[in-house]
PDB file of all heavy atoms in Angstrom:
ATOM      1  N   ASP A  11     111.919 106.869 114.826  1.00 83.00           N
ATOM      2  CA  ASP A  11     110.503 106.650 115.069  1.00 83.00           C
ATOM      3  C   ASP A  11     110.288 105.544 116.079  1.00 83.00           C
ATOM      4  O   ASP A  11     109.316 105.559 116.826  1.00 83.00           O
ATOM      5  CB  ASP A  11     109.781 106.287 113.762  1.00 83.00           C
ATOM      6  CG  ASP A  11     109.537 107.494 112.912  1.00 83.00           C
ATOM      7  OD1 ASP A  11     109.140 108.522 113.482  1.00 83.00           O
ATOM      8  OD2 ASP A  11     109.757 107.425 111.693  1.00 83.00           O
ATOM      9  N   ARG A  29     122.780  89.438 111.967  1.00 86.00           N
ATOM     10  CA  ARG A  29     122.918  88.109 112.594  1.00 86.00           C
ATOM     11  C   ARG A  29     124.124  87.992 113.529  1.00 86.00           C
ATOM     12  O   ARG A  29     124.249  87.062 114.300  1.00 86.00           O
ATOM     13  CB  ARG A  29     122.993  87.011 111.526  1.00 86.00           C
ATOM     14  CG  ARG A  29     121.660  86.789 110.851  1.00 86.00           C
ATOM     15  CD  ARG A  29     121.805  85.812 109.714  1.00 86.00           C
ATOM     16  NE  ARG A  29     120.948  86.155 108.619  1.00 86.00           N
ATOM     17  CZ  ARG A  29     119.764  85.604 108.391  1.00 86.00           C
ATOM     18  NH1 ARG A  29     119.337  84.685 109.199  1.00 86.00           N
ATOM     19  NH2 ARG A  29     119.033  85.972 107.384  1.00 86.00           N
ATOM     20  N   ASP A  30     125.037  88.965 113.414  1.00 85.00           N
ATOM     21  CA  ASP A  30     126.197  88.936 114.284  1.00 85.00           C
ATOM     22  C   ASP A  30     126.023  89.823 115.499  1.00 85.00           C
ATOM     23  O   ASP A  30     126.994  90.172 116.190  1.00 85.00           O
ATOM     24  CB  ASP A  30     127.455  89.403 113.507  1.00 85.00           C
ATOM     25  CG  ASP A  30     127.807  88.431 112.403  1.00 85.00           C
ATOM     26  OD1 ASP A  30     127.450  87.246 112.550  1.00 85.00           O
ATOM     27  OD2 ASP A  30     128.398  88.856 111.413  1.00 85.00           O
ATOM     28  N   ASP A  57     107.597 102.431 123.930  1.00 82.00           N
ATOM     29  CA  ASP A  57     108.149 101.438 123.025  1.00 82.00           C
ATOM     30  C   ASP A  57     109.667 101.305 123.167  1.00 82.00           C
ATOM     31  O   ASP A  57     110.217 100.224 123.106  1.00 82.00           O
ATOM     32  CB  ASP A  57     107.836 101.810 121.562  1.00 82.00           C
ATOM     33  CG  ASP A  57     106.337 101.821 121.305  1.00 82.00           C
ATOM     34  OD1 ASP A  57     105.672 100.831 121.662  1.00 82.00           O
ATOM     35  OD2 ASP A  57     105.839 102.822 120.768  1.00 82.00           O
ATOM     36  N   ARG A  98     113.049  89.849 114.020  1.00 89.00           N
ATOM     37  CA  ARG A  98     112.291  91.089 113.924  1.00 89.00           C
ATOM     38  C   ARG A  98     113.068  92.186 113.204  1.00 89.00           C
ATOM     39  O   ARG A  98     112.509  92.946 112.430  1.00 89.00           O
ATOM     40  CB  ARG A  98     111.860  91.577 115.312  1.00 89.00           C
ATOM     41  CG  ARG A  98     110.662  90.825 115.808  1.00 89.00           C
ATOM     42  CD  ARG A  98     110.308  91.169 117.214  1.00 89.00           C
ATOM     43  NE  ARG A  98     109.268  90.264 117.658  1.00 89.00           N
ATOM     44  CZ  ARG A  98     108.009  90.619 117.795  1.00 89.00           C
ATOM     45  NH1 ARG A  98     107.626  91.852 117.574  1.00 89.00           N
ATOM     46  NH2 ARG A  98     107.108  89.747 118.187  1.00 89.00           N
ATOM     47  N   TYR A 102     111.847  93.909 109.841  1.00 92.00           N
ATOM     48  CA  TYR A 102     111.669  95.364 109.846  1.00 92.00           C
ATOM     49  C   TYR A 102     112.507  96.002 108.742  1.00 92.00           C
ATOM     50  O   TYR A 102     112.031  96.868 107.998  1.00 92.00           O
ATOM     51  CB  TYR A 102     112.068  95.949 111.201  1.00 92.00           C
ATOM     52  CG  TYR A 102     112.088  97.449 111.175  1.00 92.00           C
ATOM     53  CD1 TYR A 102     110.908  98.170 111.102  1.00 92.00           C
ATOM     54  CD2 TYR A 102     113.291  98.169 111.166  1.00 92.00           C
ATOM     55  CE1 TYR A 102     110.914  99.541 111.018  1.00 92.00           C
ATOM     56  CE2 TYR A 102     113.305  99.535 111.085  1.00 92.00           C
ATOM     57  CZ  TYR A 102     112.119 100.206 111.021  1.00 92.00           C
ATOM     58  OH  TYR A 102     112.123 101.576 110.910  1.00 92.00           O
ATOM     59  N   GLN A 104     113.438  94.706 106.002  1.00 90.00           N
ATOM     60  CA  GLN A 104     112.834  94.376 104.719  1.00 90.00           C
ATOM     61  C   GLN A 104     111.797  95.439 104.328  1.00 90.00           C
ATOM     62  O   GLN A 104     111.785  95.924 103.206  1.00 90.00           O
ATOM     63  CB  GLN A 104     112.166  93.020 104.874  1.00 90.00           C
ATOM     64  CG  GLN A 104     111.769  92.341 103.614  1.00 90.00           C
ATOM     65  CD  GLN A 104     111.024  91.051 103.910  1.00 90.00           C
ATOM     66  OE1 GLN A 104     110.457  90.851 104.990  1.00 90.00           O
ATOM     67  NE2 GLN A 104     111.000  90.171 102.941  1.00 90.00           N
ATOM     68  N   LEU A 112     109.076 102.396  97.462  1.00 87.00           N
ATOM     69  CA  LEU A 112     107.831 103.125  97.237  1.00 87.00           C
ATOM     70  C   LEU A 112     108.117 104.605  97.020  1.00 87.00           C
ATOM     71  O   LEU A 112     107.521 105.256  96.164  1.00 87.00           O
ATOM     72  CB  LEU A 112     106.878 102.950  98.408  1.00 87.00           C
ATOM     73  CG  LEU A 112     106.118 101.626  98.521  1.00 87.00           C
ATOM     74  CD1 LEU A 112     105.119 101.687  99.662  1.00 87.00           C
ATOM     75  CD2 LEU A 112     105.360 101.320  97.211  1.00 87.00           C
ATOM     76  N   ALA A 116     107.098 106.864  93.859  1.00 82.00           N
ATOM     77  CA  ALA A 116     106.361 108.126  93.990  1.00 82.00           C
ATOM     78  C   ALA A 116     107.091 109.255  93.284  1.00 82.00           C
ATOM     79  O   ALA A 116     106.485 110.091  92.638  1.00 82.00           O
ATOM     80  CB  ALA A 116     106.129 108.446  95.451  1.00 82.00           C
ATOM     81  N   ARG A 119     106.654 108.859  89.666  1.00 78.00           N
ATOM     82  CA  ARG A 119     105.274 109.224  89.309  1.00 78.00           C
ATOM     83  C   ARG A 119     105.119 110.742  89.236  1.00 78.00           C
ATOM     84  O   ARG A 119     104.348 111.251  88.447  1.00 78.00           O
ATOM     85  CB  ARG A 119     104.329 108.637  90.361  1.00 78.00           C
ATOM     86  CG  ARG A 119     102.851 108.894  90.085  1.00 78.00           C
ATOM     87  CD  ARG A 119     102.386 108.089  88.889  1.00 78.00           C
ATOM     88  NE  ARG A 119     100.957 108.184  88.734  1.00 78.00           N
ATOM     89  CZ  ARG A 119     100.345 108.672  87.661  1.00 78.00           C
ATOM     90  NH1 ARG A 119     101.079 109.109  86.656  1.00 78.00           N
ATOM     91  NH2 ARG A 119      99.041 108.704  87.582  1.00 78.00           N
ATOM     92  N   SER A 120     105.862 111.432  90.113  1.00 75.00           N
ATOM     93  CA  SER A 120     105.690 112.894  90.143  1.00 75.00           C
ATOM     94  C   SER A 120     106.317 113.533  88.910  1.00 75.00           C
ATOM     95  O   SER A 120     106.168 114.723  88.682  1.00 75.00           O
ATOM     96  CB  SER A 120     106.316 113.465  91.417  1.00 75.00           C
ATOM     97  OG  SER A 120     107.734 113.378  91.320  1.00 75.00           O
ATOM     98  N   TYR A 123     102.615 113.790  84.151  1.00 77.00           N
ATOM     99  CA  TYR A 123     101.399 114.582  84.356  1.00 77.00           C
ATOM    100  C   TYR A 123     100.233 113.875  83.688  1.00 77.00           C
ATOM    101  O   TYR A 123     100.402 113.192  82.674  1.00 77.00           O
ATOM    102  CB  TYR A 123     101.572 115.966  83.718  1.00 77.00           C
ATOM    103  CG  TYR A 123     102.621 116.803  84.386  1.00 77.00           C
ATOM    104  CD1 TYR A 123     103.968 116.467  84.315  1.00 77.00           C
ATOM    105  CD2 TYR A 123     102.257 117.969  85.062  1.00 77.00           C
ATOM    106  CE1 TYR A 123     104.924 117.238  84.930  1.00 77.00           C
ATOM    107  CE2 TYR A 123     103.221 118.757  85.675  1.00 77.00           C
ATOM    108  CZ  TYR A 123     104.557 118.404  85.603  1.00 77.00           C
ATOM    109  OH  TYR A 123     105.489 119.184  86.208  1.00 77.00           O
ATOM    110  N   ARG A 125      95.909 114.401  82.542  1.00 72.00           N
ATOM    111  CA  ARG A 125      94.978 115.488  82.246  1.00 72.00           C
ATOM    112  C   ARG A 125      94.334 115.946  83.555  1.00 72.00           C
ATOM    113  O   ARG A 125      93.817 115.111  84.283  1.00 72.00           O
ATOM    114  CB  ARG A 125      93.914 115.017  81.267  1.00 72.00           C
ATOM    115  CG  ARG A 125      94.403 114.978  79.830  1.00 72.00           C
ATOM    116  CD  ARG A 125      93.206 114.852  78.911  1.00 72.00           C
ATOM    117  NE  ARG A 125      92.197 115.825  79.311  1.00 72.00           N
ATOM    118  CZ  ARG A 125      92.239 117.106  78.986  1.00 72.00           C
ATOM    119  NH1 ARG A 125      93.193 117.561  78.254  1.00 72.00           N
ATOM    120  NH2 ARG A 125      91.269 117.908  79.382  1.00 72.00           N
ATOM    121  N   SER A 128      88.507 116.307  83.611  1.00 62.00           N
ATOM    122  CA  SER A 128      87.799 115.437  82.688  1.00 62.00           C
ATOM    123  C   SER A 128      87.068 116.291  81.659  1.00 62.00           C
ATOM    124  O   SER A 128      86.570 117.365  81.959  1.00 62.00           O
ATOM    125  CB  SER A 128      86.789 114.599  83.462  1.00 62.00           C
ATOM    126  OG  SER A 128      85.917 113.983  82.564  1.00 62.00           O
ATOM    127  N   LEU A 129      87.052 115.807  80.428  1.00 57.00           N
ATOM    128  CA  LEU A 129      86.324 116.537  79.381  1.00 57.00           C
ATOM    129  C   LEU A 129      84.868 116.094  79.357  1.00 57.00           C
ATOM    130  O   LEU A 129      84.095 116.555  78.526  1.00 57.00           O
ATOM    131  CB  LEU A 129      86.935 116.239  78.021  1.00 57.00           C
ATOM    132  CG  LEU A 129      88.303 116.855  77.733  1.00 57.00           C
ATOM    133  CD1 LEU A 129      88.756 116.456  76.350  1.00 57.00           C
ATOM    134  CD2 LEU A 129      88.217 118.381  77.841  1.00 57.00           C
ATOM    135  N   ASN A 156      78.098  93.274 115.409  1.00 80.00           N
ATOM    136  CA  ASN A 156      79.553  93.367 115.588  1.00 80.00           C
ATOM    137  C   ASN A 156      80.004  94.766 115.971  1.00 80.00           C
ATOM    138  O   ASN A 156      80.882  94.949 116.767  1.00 80.00           O
ATOM    139  CB  ASN A 156      80.269  92.954 114.301  1.00 80.00           C
ATOM    140  CG  ASN A 156      80.376  91.456 114.202  1.00 80.00           C
ATOM    141  OD1 ASN A 156      80.617  90.783 115.196  1.00 80.00           O
ATOM    142  ND2 ASN A 156      80.164  90.939 113.015  1.00 80.00           N
ATOM    143  N   ASN A 160      82.131  95.927 119.189  1.00 78.00           N
ATOM    144  CA  ASN A 160      83.341  96.752 119.119  1.00 78.00           C
ATOM    145  C   ASN A 160      83.208  98.000 119.981  1.00 78.00           C
ATOM    146  O   ASN A 160      84.116  98.445 120.646  1.00 78.00           O
ATOM    147  CB  ASN A 160      83.626  97.193 117.684  1.00 78.00           C
ATOM    148  CG  ASN A 160      84.044  96.013 116.836  1.00 78.00           C
ATOM    149  OD1 ASN A 160      84.672  95.093 117.324  1.00 78.00           O
ATOM    150  ND2 ASN A 160      83.700  96.039 115.562  1.00 78.00           N
TER     151      ASN A 160
ATOM    152  N   PHE C  15      91.412 109.695  76.795  1.00 89.00           N
ATOM    153  CA  PHE C  15      91.871 111.077  76.861  1.00 89.00           C
ATOM    154  C   PHE C  15      90.913 111.916  77.679  1.00 89.00           C
ATOM    155  O   PHE C  15      91.315 112.710  78.549  1.00 89.00           O
ATOM    156  CB  PHE C  15      91.977 111.635  75.442  1.00 89.00           C
ATOM    157  CG  PHE C  15      92.362 113.080  75.395  1.00 89.00           C
ATOM    158  CD1 PHE C  15      93.708 113.442  75.476  1.00 89.00           C
ATOM    159  CD2 PHE C  15      91.400 114.060  75.272  1.00 89.00           C
ATOM    160  CE1 PHE C  15      94.066 114.763  75.444  1.00 89.00           C
ATOM    161  CE2 PHE C  15      91.768 115.398  75.232  1.00 89.00           C
ATOM    162  CZ  PHE C  15      93.102 115.761  75.329  1.00 89.00           C
ATOM    163  N   ALA C  16      89.618 111.746  77.446  1.00 86.00           N
ATOM    164  CA  ALA C  16      88.630 112.615  78.078  1.00 86.00           C
ATOM    165  C   ALA C  16      88.432 112.295  79.551  1.00 86.00           C
ATOM    166  O   ALA C  16      88.093 113.138  80.351  1.00 86.00           O
ATOM    167  CB  ALA C  16      87.283 112.505  77.337  1.00 86.00           C
ATOM    168  N   THR C  68     101.960 112.171  80.555  1.00 90.00           N
ATOM    169  CA  THR C  68     103.086 112.729  79.794  1.00 90.00           C
ATOM    170  C   THR C  68     104.300 111.829  79.997  1.00 90.00           C
ATOM    171  O   THR C  68     104.373 111.115  80.988  1.00 90.00           O
ATOM    172  CB  THR C  68     103.429 114.135  80.296  1.00 90.00           C
ATOM    173  OG1 THR C  68     103.715 114.060  81.683  1.00 90.00           O
ATOM    174  CG2 THR C  68     102.256 115.082  80.073  1.00 90.00           C
ATOM    175  N   GLN C  80     100.329 122.548  85.316  1.00 55.00           N
ATOM    176  CA  GLN C  80      99.646 121.875  86.426  1.00 55.00           C
ATOM    177  C   GLN C  80     100.570 120.924  87.172  1.00 55.00           C
ATOM    178  O   GLN C  80     101.279 120.135  86.584  1.00 55.00           O
ATOM    179  CB  GLN C  80      98.482 121.086  85.806  1.00 55.00           C
ATOM    180  CG  GLN C  80      97.576 120.461  86.799  1.00 55.00           C
ATOM    181  CD  GLN C  80      96.546 121.423  87.314  1.00 55.00           C
ATOM    182  OE1 GLN C  80      96.222 122.398  86.649  1.00 55.00           O
ATOM    183  NE2 GLN C  80      96.035 121.159  88.494  1.00 55.00           N
ATOM    184  N   THR C  85     102.448 112.763  96.130  1.00 60.00           N
ATOM    185  CA  THR C  85     102.591 111.783  97.198  1.00 60.00           C
ATOM    186  C   THR C  85     103.767 112.164  98.048  1.00 60.00           C
ATOM    187  O   THR C  85     104.049 111.545  99.046  1.00 60.00           O
ATOM    188  CB  THR C  85     102.848 110.365  96.631  1.00 60.00           C
ATOM    189  OG1 THR C  85     103.710 110.497  95.518  1.00 60.00           O
ATOM    190  CG2 THR C  85     101.585 109.689  96.261  1.00 60.00           C
ATOM    191  N   GLU C  94     106.825 103.677 105.597  1.00 93.00           N
ATOM    192  CA  GLU C  94     107.081 102.355 106.141  1.00 93.00           C
ATOM    193  C   GLU C  94     105.764 101.624 106.414  1.00 93.00           C
ATOM    194  O   GLU C  94     105.592 100.464 106.040  1.00 93.00           O
ATOM    195  CB  GLU C  94     107.792 102.522 107.485  1.00 93.00           C
ATOM    196  CG  GLU C  94     109.109 101.861 107.601  1.00 93.00           C
ATOM    197  CD  GLU C  94     109.762 102.265 108.898  1.00 93.00           C
ATOM    198  OE1 GLU C  94     109.229 101.966 109.987  1.00 93.00           O
ATOM    199  OE2 GLU C  94     110.804 102.930 108.823  1.00 93.00           O
ATOM    200  N   ASP C 112     103.477  95.575 115.395  1.00 89.00           N
ATOM    201  CA  ASP C 112     104.376  94.514 115.784  1.00 89.00           C
ATOM    202  C   ASP C 112     105.609  94.501 114.878  1.00 89.00           C
ATOM    203  O   ASP C 112     106.729  94.343 115.325  1.00 89.00           O
ATOM    204  CB  ASP C 112     103.624  93.172 115.705  1.00 89.00           C
ATOM    205  CG  ASP C 112     104.473  92.046 116.270  1.00 89.00           C
ATOM    206  OD1 ASP C 112     104.980  92.224 117.377  1.00 89.00           O
ATOM    207  OD2 ASP C 112     104.621  91.023 115.578  1.00 89.00           O
ATOM    208  N   VAL C 116     106.642  99.898 117.006  1.00 89.00           N
ATOM    209  CA  VAL C 116     106.285 101.212 117.550  1.00 89.00           C
ATOM    210  C   VAL C 116     104.815 101.510 117.211  1.00 89.00           C
ATOM    211  O   VAL C 116     104.291 100.990 116.226  1.00 89.00           O
ATOM    212  CB  VAL C 116     107.214 102.287 116.948  1.00 89.00           C
ATOM    213  CG1 VAL C 116     106.983 102.475 115.485  1.00 89.00           C
ATOM    214  CG2 VAL C 116     107.118 103.581 117.698  1.00 89.00           C
ATOM    215  N   ARG C 136      86.661  93.417 108.837  1.00 81.00           N
ATOM    216  CA  ARG C 136      87.228  93.190 110.161  1.00 81.00           C
ATOM    217  C   ARG C 136      87.716  91.762 110.274  1.00 81.00           C
ATOM    218  O   ARG C 136      87.221  90.853 109.621  1.00 81.00           O
ATOM    219  CB  ARG C 136      86.172  93.448 111.239  1.00 81.00           C
ATOM    220  CG  ARG C 136      85.746  94.899 111.245  1.00 81.00           C
ATOM    221  CD  ARG C 136      85.003  95.253 112.491  1.00 81.00           C
ATOM    222  NE  ARG C 136      84.619  96.653 112.428  1.00 81.00           N
ATOM    223  CZ  ARG C 136      85.074  97.559 113.284  1.00 81.00           C
ATOM    224  NH1 ARG C 136      85.908  97.217 114.233  1.00 81.00           N
ATOM    225  NH2 ARG C 136      84.655  98.807 113.188  1.00 81.00           N
ATOM    226  N   GLY C 141      87.868  91.432 119.825  1.00 69.00           N
ATOM    227  CA  GLY C 141      87.912  92.855 119.475  1.00 69.00           C
ATOM    228  C   GLY C 141      87.567  93.112 118.022  1.00 69.00           C
ATOM    229  O   GLY C 141      87.353  94.250 117.633  1.00 69.00           O
ATOM    230  N   ARG C 142      87.527  92.031 117.217  1.00 74.00           N
ATOM    231  CA  ARG C 142      87.268  92.150 115.788  1.00 74.00           C
ATOM    232  C   ARG C 142      87.966  93.382 115.197  1.00 74.00           C
ATOM    233  O   ARG C 142      87.316  94.310 114.720  1.00 74.00           O
ATOM    234  CB  ARG C 142      85.744  92.201 115.514  1.00 74.00           C
ATOM    235  CG  ARG C 142      85.056  90.906 115.916  1.00 74.00           C
ATOM    236  CD  ARG C 142      83.612  90.777 115.447  1.00 74.00           C
ATOM    237  NE  ARG C 142      83.362  91.220 114.085  1.00 74.00           N
ATOM    238  CZ  ARG C 142      83.620  90.520 113.009  1.00 74.00           C
ATOM    239  NH1 ARG C 142      84.166  89.338 113.098  1.00 74.00           N
ATOM    240  NH2 ARG C 142      83.333  91.003 111.831  1.00 74.00           N
ATOM    241  N   GLU C 154      97.115 104.565  91.761  1.00 83.00           N
ATOM    242  CA  GLU C 154      97.248 105.722  90.878  1.00 83.00           C
ATOM    243  C   GLU C 154      98.428 106.591  91.282  1.00 83.00           C
ATOM    244  O   GLU C 154      99.208 107.034  90.445  1.00 83.00           O
ATOM    245  CB  GLU C 154      95.962 106.555  90.897  1.00 83.00           C
ATOM    246  CG  GLU C 154      94.847 105.954  90.054  1.00 83.00           C
ATOM    247  CD  GLU C 154      93.593 106.803  90.118  1.00 83.00           C
ATOM    248  OE1 GLU C 154      93.698 108.039  89.969  1.00 83.00           O
ATOM    249  OE2 GLU C 154      92.493 106.234  90.306  1.00 83.00           O
ATOM    250  N   CYS C 155      98.532 106.843  92.586  1.00 83.00           N
ATOM    251  CA  CYS C 155      99.580 107.743  93.071  1.00 83.00           C
ATOM    252  C   CYS C 155     100.971 107.168  92.842  1.00 83.00           C
ATOM    253  O   CYS C 155     101.939 107.914  92.704  1.00 83.00           O
ATOM    254  CB  CYS C 155      99.415 108.027  94.545  1.00 83.00           C
ATOM    255  SG  CYS C 155      98.082 109.186  94.845  1.00 83.00           S
ATOM    256  N   PRO C 168     112.287  93.085  99.181  1.00 82.00           N
ATOM    257  CA  PRO C 168     113.699  92.691  99.315  1.00 82.00           C
ATOM    258  C   PRO C 168     113.802  91.354 100.052  1.00 82.00           C
ATOM    259  O   PRO C 168     113.079  91.142 101.031  1.00 82.00           O
ATOM    260  CB  PRO C 168     114.307  93.814 100.145  1.00 82.00           C
ATOM    261  CG  PRO C 168     113.359  94.951 100.057  1.00 82.00           C
ATOM    262  CD  PRO C 168     112.026  94.388  99.773  1.00 82.00           C
ATOM    263  N   PRO C 171     118.381  88.066 103.590  1.00 73.00           N
ATOM    264  CA  PRO C 171     119.550  87.295 103.204  1.00 73.00           C
ATOM    265  C   PRO C 171     119.716  86.058 104.083  1.00 73.00           C
ATOM    266  O   PRO C 171     119.523  86.131 105.286  1.00 73.00           O
ATOM    267  CB  PRO C 171     120.707  88.269 103.409  1.00 73.00           C
ATOM    268  CG  PRO C 171     120.194  89.278 104.374  1.00 73.00           C
ATOM    269  CD  PRO C 171     118.728  89.365 104.178  1.00 73.00           C
ATOM    270  N   LYS C 173     122.104  83.248 105.768  1.00 60.00           N
ATOM    271  CA  LYS C 173     123.511  83.279 106.138  1.00 60.00           C
ATOM    272  C   LYS C 173     124.048  81.869 106.274  1.00 60.00           C
ATOM    273  O   LYS C 173     123.377  81.003 106.736  1.00 60.00           O
ATOM    274  CB  LYS C 173     123.703  84.062 107.424  1.00 60.00           C
ATOM    275  CG  LYS C 173     124.976  84.859 107.396  1.00 60.00           C
ATOM    276  CD  LYS C 173     125.283  85.353 108.773  1.00 60.00           C
ATOM    277  CE  LYS C 173     126.738  85.636 108.935  1.00 60.00           C
ATOM    278  NZ  LYS C 173     127.039  85.972 110.315  1.00 60.00           N
TER     279      LYS C 173
END
Side-chain angles (χ1 to χ4, degrees):
Chain A
D11 282 317
R29 287 174 216 262
D30 295 334
D57 297 310
R98 280 174 188 254
Y102 172 71
Q104 194 184 21
L112 283 186
R119 183 70 172 120
S120 71
Y123 294 67
R125 281 195 47 81
S128 167
L129 288 180
N156 278 321
N160 291 328
Chain C
F15 177 83
T68 57
Q80 187 84 24
T85 38
E94 237 173 64
D112 187 50
V116 68
R136 296 195 181 243
R142 296 190 42 79
E154 283 180 45
C155 285
K173 216 193 156 187

